[in-house]
Amino acid sequence: MKRRIVLSAMLLGGSLARSVLAEEKLPLEQMKPYLQVKTVVGDEFVVRAFFSPTCNFSKQYFPFFKNLSRTLPPGETFEFTPLVNKLDGYPYSFAFFAVQRYYPKYLPNFIEASFTGVQELGLSPKNWAAIERISQAAQIPVSVPRLIKEHYKELQGDVDAAIARQAKLKITNTPTIAVAGTYTVTPEFTGGDADQFSTLVNGVISMATLR
């Protein structure tokens, strides 16, 4: 998670900022502790968590994302999405979308096994043998590399769509939460404070829901 200076986001961090917010009670839209893009069609009612198996912050916030997926307002859906990038390689992206498309109930297991395999065991997400080990640890009942081979065309479409989506949302690092295909927030905006990040994410979701 790279450091960036986001002045509006700093309103959420530090005792001085907290006192200012308490006194003025500025609405979230005026503070704008988030980034905003033109709404991505199809994501209007989606809360999307972008992650990377090589990102230790993604692993750190994984329990929060799982809890968030169970507490969304009615009509909103939650989706995990890998940030397609050179560091993680295409094999991992194909594997993720193969599990999501054909064995969705195993997806949380696959993500958790990815964090463990890559960050604790040193497996490479670019390596097909590593993908197989991760899939087995996630208890997926088939060979994921073989599944990809059998459904390559459909999965290529999923990966291409993911690349186009992350470009429209301007996702450049992980973890990032995208809300309603319009707003994005990262833990950087709260200085890495998990409680404030939770408050920020839920605030942006409420703001988007009321629009």
Side-chain angles (χ1 to χ4, degrees):
M1 184 169 63
K2 300 177 181 178
R3 292 287 180 186
R4 296 183 301 182
I5 299 176
V6 184
L7 296 179
S8 60
M10 295 305 291
L11 290 174
L12 291 180
S15 58
L16 176 60
R18 285 194 293 272
S19 65
V20 170
L21 293 178
E23 292 175 7
E24 299 184 7
K25 297 181 179 179
L26 294 174
L28 186 63
E29 291 187 61
Q30 289 186 30
M31 293 189 298
K32 287 194 175 179
Y34 51 79
L35 299 180
Q36 183 173 351
V37 299
K38 182 179 179 181
T39 301
V40 176
V41 175
D43 263 28
E44 296 89 343
F45 302 100
V46 177
V47 175
R48 193 178 295 278
F50 286 88
F51 75 96
S52 163
T54 58
C55 171
N56 61 330
F57 292 103
S58 292
K59 180 181 178 184
Q60 175 185 333
Y61 281 94
F62 182 58
F64 165 68
F65 295 151
K66 288 199 297 182
N67 181 66
L68 180 64
S69 70
R70 296 188 289 263
T71 59
L72 292 180
E76 300 292 315
T77 60
F78 181 92
E79 291 190 26
F80 281 106
T81 303
L83 179 63
V84 184
N85 61 85
K86 292 182 179 179
L87 178 63
D88 298 335
Y90 282 101
Y92 185 79
S93 297
F94 272 87
F96 175 91
F97 288 112
V99 176
Q100 183 186 61
R101 178 183 279 269
Y102 299 108
Y103 292 91
K105 74 175 184 178
Y106 292 93
L107 194 60
N109 291 356
F110 179 77
I111 297 172
E112 188 167 9
S114 300
F115 289 138
T116 300
V118 173
Q119 298 186 34
E120 297 181 23
L121 302 180
L123 301 180
S124 170
K126 297 180 180 181
N127 184 283
W128 288 113
I131 293 295
E132 188 72 275
R133 286 184 61 183
I134 290 170
S135 303
Q136 290 173 350
Q139 300 184 331
I140 298 170
V142 300
S143 168
V144 170
R146 185 177 302 118
L147 185 67
I148 294 170
K149 185 176 181 180
E150 293 171 351
H151 301 279
Y152 185 84
K153 184 177 180 179
E154 294 89 343
L155 296 172
Q156 179 68 69
D158 291 340
V159 172
D160 289 345
I163 293 173
R165 183 192 304 113
Q166 70 189 36
K168 292 176 182 177
L169 288 168
K170 300 182 179 180
I171 307 298
T172 58
N173 60 347
T174 56
T176 297
I177 289 286
V179 179
T182 306
Y183 312 101
T184 60
V185 295
T186 79
E188 295 176 1
F189 293 0
T190 60
D193 187 298
D195 290 335
Q196 289 189 14
F197 181 62
S198 175
T199 299
L200 173 58
V201 169
N202 283 290
V204 173
I205 290 172
S206 295
M207 179 187 72
T209 302
L210 292 173
R211 284 177 175 268

